[in-house]
Amino acid sequence: MAIYARELAVRSYRNFEDFSLELADGVTILAGPNAVGKTNLVEALQLLTSGSSFRHPAPSDLVREGSNRARIALSLAGEGRVIDVACEVERGKRTFTRNRKKVAASGVRGVVPSVLFSPDDLDMVKRSASVRRAALDTFGIQLNETYAQLTAQYERIVGQRNSLLKEGWCTREMLAAWNGALSLTGATLLMHRMALLARIRLRLREVYAGIAGGEEADVVYEPSFGALPPEVLDIIGAPLEREVFISAAREVFDRALGERADDEIRRGMTLVGPHRDEIRFRIAGRDARTFASQGQQRSLVLAWKVAEVEVTRDILGRPPLLLLDDVMSELDGARREAFLNFIQDEVQTVITTTNLGYFTDKVLDRAKVVEIAHGTGS
């Protein structure tokens, strides 16, 4: 069974005055020239499924010029349920609702998780580690509310600890009062991250080999506070061994905090922890950031996105909403075809494009094509 996004309706949102879009259960292609609002519709779908936008806009950015308020709404249906989610923006504030009841942004997450693939993602391998950490966390937050709470809690602790470190009177003894909370929350977040990455890794290796003609790829997690004992790494994802993992990770983390305390006081920032960890891609055992060609790096990102779809299905028992924003133009013909082959009818997909020529007749025959033109919805 699956839950599908049925209809998106927007009013006074971005460049749209009033527009509605009925989505196919399979593939919906939004076709039209640049700057007509195709990405805005993808953003609306992401906001109403994940509670956040890849653009990180201020609330006022969502309101159409000349309007005082904006509203976006999405009808979801399946598994015997009908769920209506919406986001209204007025006076610089966003308000989410679920079946007309006010909820936090987290209240719209998880019903139908979304996986977004945009041109910015194609540089994920070679960009800074923060981009890869954010990709993993953004995905994990949609799948598990505990994961979401841990990331928020850890960010708060790091922020408060950094504020202390910036004070000229900060001492090692003062830091010690924060270290326990930091290492406990950090080690727990690390466990969730590594368990999720282990699932992605299995799928990524399989998909990449299919895209790249059998070439081997991998992705590994490298904690900034030091390597964990091999016997601890072997129990990642085992529910009954969580306390063992957290205890072992805290021991390594606490040791690193003690060793780096003077340096942290001098530099005014927390230097070790999940906020500084690395996620590293490898091809044939070599660091992909340094040695992989652009084509190999893009194949890794394709494999990551397909892996997100498959892991969502593994964990939740249903696929996510797949959002592909103008990526077809960024891929060569072989990678475009390989990626489209992974899009099955049971994965609801929304694709934006300026050129329908990127798609085979087979894809177009089974897709719903919606032309988006200048002035649509106005």
Side-chain angles (χ1 to χ4, degrees), residues 227-234 248-249 252:
L228 298 175
E231 62 272 17
V232 174
L233 295 177
D234 290 340
V252 180

PDB file of all heavy atoms in Angstrom, residues 227-234 248-249 252:
ATOM      1  N   ALA A 227      38.609   7.249  15.699  1.00  0.00           N
ATOM      2  CA  ALA A 227      38.034   5.992  15.235  1.00  0.00           C
ATOM      3  C   ALA A 227      37.403   5.220  16.389  1.00  0.00           C
ATOM      4  O   ALA A 227      37.916   5.207  17.516  1.00  0.00           O
ATOM      5  CB  ALA A 227      39.108   5.144  14.575  1.00  0.00           C
ATOM      6  N   LEU A 228      36.273   4.585  16.108  1.00  0.00           N
ATOM      7  CA  LEU A 228      35.625   3.724  17.090  1.00  0.00           C
ATOM      8  C   LEU A 228      36.212   2.323  17.008  1.00  0.00           C
ATOM      9  O   LEU A 228      36.669   1.891  15.942  1.00  0.00           O
ATOM     10  CB  LEU A 228      34.122   3.670  16.823  1.00  0.00           C
ATOM     11  CG  LEU A 228      33.370   4.998  16.932  1.00  0.00           C
ATOM     12  CD1 LEU A 228      31.916   4.814  16.529  1.00  0.00           C
ATOM     13  CD2 LEU A 228      33.455   5.555  18.340  1.00  0.00           C
ATOM     14  N   PRO A 229      36.189   1.574  18.115  1.00  0.00           N
ATOM     15  CA  PRO A 229      36.708   0.199  18.096  1.00  0.00           C
ATOM     16  C   PRO A 229      35.953  -0.651  17.075  1.00  0.00           C
ATOM     17  O   PRO A 229      34.730  -0.507  16.921  1.00  0.00           O
ATOM     18  CB  PRO A 229      36.441  -0.295  19.525  1.00  0.00           C
ATOM     19  CG  PRO A 229      36.329   0.948  20.350  1.00  0.00           C
ATOM     20  CD  PRO A 229      35.719   1.975  19.451  1.00  0.00           C
ATOM     21  N   PRO A 230      36.648  -1.539  16.356  1.00  0.00           N
ATOM     22  CA  PRO A 230      35.991  -2.375  15.342  1.00  0.00           C
ATOM     23  C   PRO A 230      34.802  -3.153  15.875  1.00  0.00           C
ATOM     24  O   PRO A 230      33.788  -3.308  15.187  1.00  0.00           O
ATOM     25  CB  PRO A 230      37.120  -3.310  14.881  1.00  0.00           C
ATOM     26  CG  PRO A 230      38.377  -2.560  15.164  1.00  0.00           C
ATOM     27  CD  PRO A 230      38.105  -1.786  16.415  1.00  0.00           C
ATOM     28  N   GLU A 231      34.909  -3.650  17.114  1.00  0.00           N
ATOM     29  CA  GLU A 231      33.813  -4.442  17.663  1.00  0.00           C
ATOM     30  C   GLU A 231      32.557  -3.587  17.879  1.00  0.00           C
ATOM     31  O   GLU A 231      31.441  -4.100  17.873  1.00  0.00           O
ATOM     32  CB  GLU A 231      34.226  -5.109  18.977  1.00  0.00           C
ATOM     33  CG  GLU A 231      34.595  -4.162  20.110  1.00  0.00           C
ATOM     34  CD  GLU A 231      36.065  -3.763  20.108  1.00  0.00           C
ATOM     35  OE1 GLU A 231      36.725  -3.942  19.063  1.00  0.00           O
ATOM     36  OE2 GLU A 231      36.540  -3.281  21.149  1.00  0.00           O
ATOM     37  N   VAL A 232      32.729  -2.286  18.062  1.00  0.00           N
ATOM     38  CA  VAL A 232      31.588  -1.388  18.210  1.00  0.00           C
ATOM     39  C   VAL A 232      30.938  -1.137  16.855  1.00  0.00           C
ATOM     40  O   VAL A 232      29.710  -1.104  16.730  1.00  0.00           O
ATOM     41  CB  VAL A 232      32.036  -0.063  18.861  1.00  0.00           C
ATOM     42  CG1 VAL A 232      30.876   0.937  18.886  1.00  0.00           C
ATOM     43  CG2 VAL A 232      32.537  -0.310  20.264  1.00  0.00           C
ATOM     44  N   LEU A 233      31.750  -0.970  15.831  1.00  0.00           N
ATOM     45  CA  LEU A 233      31.208  -0.740  14.491  1.00  0.00           C
ATOM     46  C   LEU A 233      30.381  -1.920  14.015  1.00  0.00           C
ATOM     47  O   LEU A 233      29.431  -1.758  13.238  1.00  0.00           O
ATOM     48  CB  LEU A 233      32.352  -0.481  13.501  1.00  0.00           C
ATOM     49  CG  LEU A 233      33.169   0.793  13.753  1.00  0.00           C
ATOM     50  CD1 LEU A 233      34.311   0.888  12.753  1.00  0.00           C
ATOM     51  CD2 LEU A 233      32.292   2.031  13.681  1.00  0.00           C
ATOM     52  N   ASP A 234      30.703  -3.109  14.489  1.00  0.00           N
ATOM     53  CA  ASP A 234      29.986  -4.310  14.056  1.00  0.00           C
ATOM     54  C   ASP A 234      28.560  -4.375  14.582  1.00  0.00           C
ATOM     55  O   ASP A 234      27.747  -5.152  14.077  1.00  0.00           O
ATOM     56  CB  ASP A 234      30.742  -5.578  14.499  1.00  0.00           C
ATOM     57  CG  ASP A 234      32.042  -5.778  13.731  1.00  0.00           C
ATOM     58  OD1 ASP A 234      32.173  -5.193  12.636  1.00  0.00           O
ATOM     59  OD2 ASP A 234      32.922  -6.504  14.221  1.00  0.00           O
ATOM     60  N   ALA A 248      30.607   3.242  24.357  1.00  0.00           N
ATOM     61  CA  ALA A 248      31.928   3.208  23.727  1.00  0.00           C
ATOM     62  C   ALA A 248      32.222   4.498  22.972  1.00  0.00           C
ATOM     63  O   ALA A 248      33.336   5.031  23.032  1.00  0.00           O
ATOM     64  CB  ALA A 248      32.018   2.015  22.783  1.00  0.00           C
ATOM     65  N   ALA A 249      31.204   5.028  22.272  1.00  0.00           N
ATOM     66  CA  ALA A 249      31.402   6.268  21.524  1.00  0.00           C
ATOM     67  C   ALA A 249      31.642   7.436  22.473  1.00  0.00           C
ATOM     68  O   ALA A 249      32.486   8.312  22.206  1.00  0.00           O
ATOM     69  CB  ALA A 249      30.186   6.545  20.634  1.00  0.00           C
ATOM     70  N   VAL A 252      35.319   7.578  23.675  1.00  0.00           N
ATOM     71  CA  VAL A 252      36.238   8.157  22.693  1.00  0.00           C
ATOM     72  C   VAL A 252      35.994   9.661  22.574  1.00  0.00           C
ATOM     73  O   VAL A 252      36.943  10.459  22.485  1.00  0.00           O
ATOM     74  CB  VAL A 252      36.064   7.475  21.322  1.00  0.00           C
ATOM     75  CG1 VAL A 252      37.021   8.076  20.295  1.00  0.00           C
ATOM     76  CG2 VAL A 252      36.301   5.967  21.438  1.00  0.00           C
TER      77      VAL A 252
END
